[in-house]
Amino acid sequence: MKPILPGTPWLIAHKSMLGVNKPNKITLNGKDYVIWQNVKGEVFALNNICPHMQAPLSNGWICEERNTIVCPFHALQFDGKGRYQDGKLNNQPLAESLGLQVIGDYIWTYGGFEPKQEIPELHQKIALEYEFLGIAGEKSIQGDFLSNLLINYDFNHQNGTHRDLFQIVANKVTASEKQGYTLKVQQESTRANNSFKEILGNPVLMTIPKILKTTVEYIFPSTIVLYGKAAFGNFVQVISLYPEAEEKTKVFEVVFTQFQYPFMKSLFKKSMLKAIDTVVEQDTTAIENLYPKQQPKIKLPNEDILHYAEQLYRNW
């Protein structure tokens, strides 16, 4: 496939997603890779195809003593640079490695292309200021990257797509600031007047104030960061997107919080991560049921934010 937005730094994983000494398969721009983390927290990634007889290395296992990936077909071993080990180290790499940049718990790659952007510093700043809560919304969506990108720049779709979950009846963008590949938007979302029965049936509503004020920071094209305040304290959702294939996009969210009281973490963690999973499922349904793109005949408020993102994509 033709690579999508070559030169982008893609956030492909958070260390907590990998486990220890466990092969994981990822796909980026049509190519499969195996990625693993050792007990020291070092991370490695190789082309997923064994250079012997093309078995998927991600179906194999990790040899902890040698820090190698073992092919499931013939138990051949390769180190993190792709060098074959048969009792002695072969200095010539046989399996292609994927260049990684590991910053804190974040794992980035340019996918073998010359960098066009620097890796954002925002992710690490958030990790230092907030407490890590967990990973949510990890999903491979059957839809092109642009469609998945634009739904995250759409400040109107929550009134329909997420109506049942959040009961948002109005959404207003109060400020926006554009600068190159970055965009910062402040919004106010008004929740419906929910009955006590409705709140009991959907506990997420207990955490949302009548008017929810949030700030969204975009770093085109791979990162969307949502800052908000709920009943339990502050939260941050770091949303990552990357293209797996022409019609397949990976999304996951790294979630952080600042709880008012320590006990609130155990009280709200499960419901908060589950709510994000539901949001991603609803977005997935919306994207996977779209008809082929046509020229819109209706214009809604704040769609200039959508058009800004699409223009950056087209001009890349």
Side-chain angles (χ1 to χ4, degrees):
M1 64 171 279
K2 183 179 179 181
I4 295 171
L5 305 177
T8 295
W10 301 111
L11 177 60
I12 56 172
H14 184 271
K15 280 188 176 182
S16 65
M17 300 165 65
L18 301 181
V20 176
N21 288 328
K22 177 184 176 183
N24 300 266
K25 188 180 88 168
I26 67 161
T27 304
L28 177 63
N29 272 325
K31 294 185 67 174
D32 290 341
Y33 301 93
V34 59
I35 183 171
W36 73 95
Q37 175 181 211
N38 65 19
V39 292
K40 298 178 181 178
E42 299 170 321
V43 182
F44 309 90
L46 300 176
N47 188 319
N48 198 36
I49 303 172
C50 178
H52 175 226
M53 293 188 71
Q54 293 71 60
L57 293 175
S58 58
N59 287 354
W61 62 94
I62 303 300
C63 174
E64 184 175 348
E65 292 76 19
R66 290 187 170 186
N67 193 28
T68 53
I69 181 89
V70 186
C71 174
F73 202 175
H74 296 95
L76 304 181
Q77 297 188 33
F78 302 90
D79 70 4
K81 294 183 179 180
R83 296 175 296 185
Y84 172 50
Q85 294 199 2
D86 59 346
K88 61 180 181 179
L89 182 65
N90 188 326
N91 289 324
Q92 183 65 34
L94 299 180
E96 179 187 355
S97 61
L98 175 66
L100 303 176
Q101 293 193 42
V102 182
I103 303 174
D105 289 329
Y106 296 103
I107 303 162
W108 299 84
T109 184
Y110 285 96
F113 293 95
E114 286 296 319
K116 188 171 179 177
Q117 288 179 320
E118 293 184 357
I119 293 174
E121 297 179 356
L122 180 61
H123 298 71
Q124 193 62 11
K125 182 174 182 290
I126 292 169
L128 293 173
E129 294 179 359
Y130 292 80
E131 181 181 5
F132 173 68
L133 186 71
I135 303 295
E138 185 180 359
K139 181 89 174 173
S140 291
I141 302 175
Q142 297 295 329
D144 63 277
F145 183 79
L146 181 59
S147 296
N148 281 272
L149 178 75
L150 292 183
I151 201 169
N152 286 283
Y153 283 75
D154 187 339
F155 283 82
N156 298 299
H157 82 285
Q158 72 282 336
N159 296 356
T161 305
H162 306 308
R163 175 176 56 90
D164 291 338
L165 181 63
F166 294 123
Q167 298 285 301
I168 300 297
V169 295
N171 196 64
K172 180 173 65 174
V173 172
T174 57
S176 64
E177 180 183 345
K178 305 171 187 175
Q179 185 176 359
Y181 289 115
T182 64
L183 173 66
K184 188 173 183 178
V185 179
Q186 295 178 354
Q187 63 174 333
E188 293 182 358
S189 303
T190 303
R191 182 170 57 81
N193 294 315
N194 301 115
S195 67
F196 183 67
K197 183 178 180 180
E198 287 176 321
I199 293 175
L200 284 179
N202 182 8
V204 172
L205 297 175
M206 288 191 296
T207 67
I208 303 175
K210 178 65 177 177
I211 298 179
L212 175 64
K213 297 182 179 181
T214 55
T215 298
V216 187
E217 286 191 53
Y218 297 92
I219 303 176
F220 180 89
S222 64
T223 297
I224 304 101
V225 181
L226 174 69
Y227 302 84
K229 186 172 184 178
F232 54 75
N234 300 320
F235 65 90
V236 182
Q237 297 170 224
V238 181
I239 305 163
S240 177
L241 297 167
Y242 64 86
E244 293 187 306
E246 288 183 358
E247 295 295 329
K248 196 173 183 181
T249 304
K250 184 65 176 282
V251 60
F252 65 90
E253 300 192 22
V254 188
V255 186
F256 297 88
T257 51
Q258 288 177 337
F259 288 102
Q260 292 181 357
Y261 305 102
F263 75 89
M264 288 184 166
K265 182 175 182 178
S266 58
L267 187 63
F268 287 105
K269 177 179 179 177
K270 185 177 180 180
S271 60
M272 184 175 181
L273 296 179
K274 184 178 179 181
I276 294 171
D277 287 340
T278 302
V279 168
V280 173
E281 284 293 339
Q282 291 173 342
D283 282 343
T284 299
T285 300
I287 291 167
E288 293 184 345
N289 285 278
L290 289 174
Y291 286 102
K293 190 175 177 65
Q294 300 180 21
Q295 187 66 30
K297 298 178 181 178
I298 300 169
K299 182 176 175 59
L300 297 178
N302 307 315
E303 287 192 340
D304 60 312
I305 298 170
L306 271 171
H307 301 322
Y308 181 71
E310 184 166 7
Q311 184 181 25
L312 290 175
Y313 182 91
R314 302 292 185 196
N315 294 338
W316 186 263

